[in-house]
Amino acid sequence: ISAAALAVARTNAHRHGVNNRVTFLKTDLLPRSSKLFPFSLERPVHIIANLPYIPTKKISSLPREVRDFEPRVALDGGKDGLVPYRALLERISTLDVPTRLYCEILPSQYRSLAAAARRALPGCAITEIRSGIARIGARIAWK
């Protein structure tokens, strides 16, 4: 939803030589219809998401440099922190192509996210993404 964030992402893609392989969308999650995508959905879709995942009541306890300088819309994931991810999973369920979602979450949210993914995307495969011994995200493969 942020034009400024997309500009940074485009700069990074260009810097790393992948700008011709990436499509950037300024949208709230995914378009509600596959007809609204500005590219063909004939190939698998890979979504890398760093949606807001901090539970609302925990925002005040974040480190000051995060809490006071990051836009709240970039942090607040609702009551349990997974509200935006549930909405994204519902949108993914409308796609008729293999889809891979890579996302960042709190370690304590993995089981809840996995349950939400199984409800929205029956038969999906879910894998933890770890950094050292800490769980930091998930890979969800559907279709």
Side-chain angles (χ1 to χ4, degrees):
I1 61 174
S2 168
L6 279 176
V8 171
R10 283 188 182 101
T11 298
N12 288 338
H14 182 75
R15 180 178 298 135
H16 296 287
V18 296
N19 53 310
N20 62 341
R21 298 176 15 207
V22 178
T23 302
F24 297 94
L25 297 176
K26 183 178 181 288
T27 183
D28 184 3
L29 299 178
L30 294 175
R32 292 190 183 274
S33 165
S34 61
K35 294 176 183 156
L36 299 175
F37 278 83
F39 53 87
S40 170
L41 288 177
E42 296 173 0
R43 297 158 86 187
V45 174
H46 294 264
I47 301 168
I48 295 90
N50 186 3
L51 301 177
Y53 59 85
I54 306 298
T56 303
K57 66 182 179 183
K58 291 189 176 186
I59 290 177
S60 62
S61 65
L62 289 172
R64 185 174 171 270
E65 62 272 10
V66 175
R67 179 189 68 233
D68 293 348
F69 296 100
E70 289 288 331
R72 186 163 180 118
V73 69
L75 300 171
D76 194 340
K79 184 176 182 177
D80 68 350
L82 294 176
V83 171
Y85 279 112
R86 283 191 199 87
L88 180 58
L89 291 167
E90 289 300 323
R91 299 269 179 95
I92 289 171
S93 74
T94 68
L95 300 179
D96 196 28
V97 294
T99 304
R100 305 296 179 263
L101 169 63
Y102 305 86
C103 59
E104 181 179 354
I105 55 173
L106 294 171
S108 61
Q109 294 170 320
Y110 178 79
R111 289 181 189 209
S112 294
L113 178 67
R118 287 186 190 101
R119 280 191 301 277
L121 308 170
C124 69
I126 305 156
T127 309
E128 296 174 314
I129 298 173
R130 292 180 168 269
S131 175
I133 61 168
R135 188 183 297 146
I136 61 165
R139 175 183 178 267
I140 300 169
W142 188 60
K143 288 190 180 188

